[in-house]
Amino acid sequence: MRVCRSVVAALLATSVVAGCSSTGGPAGTTQPQPLVVADTGTPVQTVLAHLYADALSRGGAAARVDTVDGLTGALAGLDDASVALVPGFTGSLLAQLDPSSTARAPEDVYADLARALPEWLAVTDQGLAENGPTVSVTAAAGSALPEATLSALSPQCSRLSAAIDPAVDVAAVTRALAESYDCAFAPAGPTEVTVVRATDRVAEVDATDVVLADDRDGLTADVLVPLVRKGAVDETLDRPLQVVAGELTTADLAEMVDRVRDGEDPGAIAASWLGMQSF
């Protein structure tokens, strides 16, 4: 899914740089305050916050990362204009803003999210990286499937036991698999199926596991998207947003998250990745 320049530009062209102050410069001039990118405190959000802040800085805007109290704190910051941008994922944001939505496919989730936003907020285009639940099977179980899809797994579900990571909404995943694939796992037995969020796959799942495609869009999509306050950025920042959206893959993000969990500096990790991109 590549980012569409016209959509990003159209959104940003309606905005003006926010947060000007009359302090810190010659008389009669204003100095722009840094754009604040919210970090809600999880390793994934910390990496993304530094990626977006560094990308915006490389695009010519002063930007910094501020840690906030979870997604609720980030949304409050967007509301009172203390935050300009919150990196997020479509499904998770939609669950917060419209829990009644039943959308699951990527474009449906994105459309419902856009409709659920208050008028002073907007989302730009979806990126490549995702953080929804992913289902994998052991190499031995995978070799018995005709194809690496959840549809192919369905007839085997009742004979397989699954380990579902607590970071995943277990009830929602169980319900989605039952409704879309008629898949209900065995209550006990050796674990042959693993369900984890996409960015946890490097750390938690053996590299020999076979990841199964969600070929019926049964699991709720959770695709990277920045949530921005209208008026916080202008069209000159179109390119930095495109770089993150159009180049950052799920594997890239998972690898960076893994390094942050091992204690590496998220700012340095973000700078290294961005240094390999073209601005």
Side-chain angles (χ1 to χ4, degrees):
M1 188 188 318
R2 287 287 170 180
V3 88
C4 173
R5 178 181 176 85
S6 62
V7 176
V8 178
L11 169 64
L12 300 183
T14 64
S15 306
V16 295
V17 175
C20 289
S21 168
S22 60
T23 61
T29 66
T30 60
Q31 295 293 323
Q33 295 296 320
L35 299 176
V36 173
V37 179
D39 171 11
T40 61
T42 67
V44 176
Q45 293 300 123
T46 297
V47 169
L48 289 173
H50 282 277
L51 280 170
Y52 276 104
D54 195 337
L56 291 170
S57 297
R58 290 168 189 255
R64 72 167 193 262
V65 174
D66 280 2
T67 302
V68 299
D69 186 14
L71 181 56
T72 300
L75 294 173
L78 288 169
D79 187 19
D80 65 19
S82 61
V83 167
L85 184 149
V86 177
F89 294 91
T90 54
S92 300
L93 289 171
L94 181 59
Q96 179 81 14
L97 295 168
D98 182 10
S100 67
S101 173
T102 58
R104 290 179 181 170
E107 294 307 324
D108 294 338
V109 173
Y110 180 81
D112 275 12
L113 174 60
R115 283 192 290 268
L117 294 176
E119 63 180 10
W120 60 87
L121 299 182
V123 284
T124 60
D125 295 279
Q126 300 182 82
L128 299 176
E130 301 184 36
N131 200 30
T134 60
V135 180
S136 65
V137 295
T138 61
S143 65
L145 299 178
E147 57 184 7
T149 66
L150 288 175
S151 290
L153 178 69
S154 178
Q156 310 296 325
C157 287
S158 62
R159 296 192 290 272
L160 303 174
S161 180
I164 303 179
D165 191 275
V168 174
D169 186 335
V170 177
V173 167
T174 301
R175 183 173 61 251
L177 290 173
E179 291 175 353
S180 298
Y181 295 100
D182 193 24
C183 174
F185 297 115
T191 299
E192 294 185 90
V193 181
T194 304
V195 183
V196 299
R197 286 198 172 277
T199 56
D200 291 330
R201 185 151 293 281
V202 170
E204 301 297 334
V205 180
D206 191 281
T208 61
D209 278 11
V210 178
V211 181
L212 305 180
D214 180 12
D215 52 313
R216 298 179 189 169
D217 288 325
L219 301 172
T220 301
D222 215 22
V223 184
L224 178 63
V225 68
L227 182 59
V228 298
R229 182 178 175 89
K230 292 178 180 177
V233 293
D234 67 15
E235 69 274 11
T236 65
L237 300 176
D238 176 14
R239 177 60 185 164
L241 295 180
Q242 284 188 66
V243 169
V244 178
E247 300 299 333
L248 181 68
T249 66
T250 303
D252 290 338
L253 182 56
E255 187 267 339
M256 286 188 271
V257 168
D258 206 33
R259 291 168 61 190
V260 167
R261 289 189 173 122
D262 285 341
E264 292 190 46
D265 175 30
I269 293 170
S272 175
W273 184 85
L274 287 164
M276 297 185 288
Q277 314 307 316
S278 298
F279 281 84

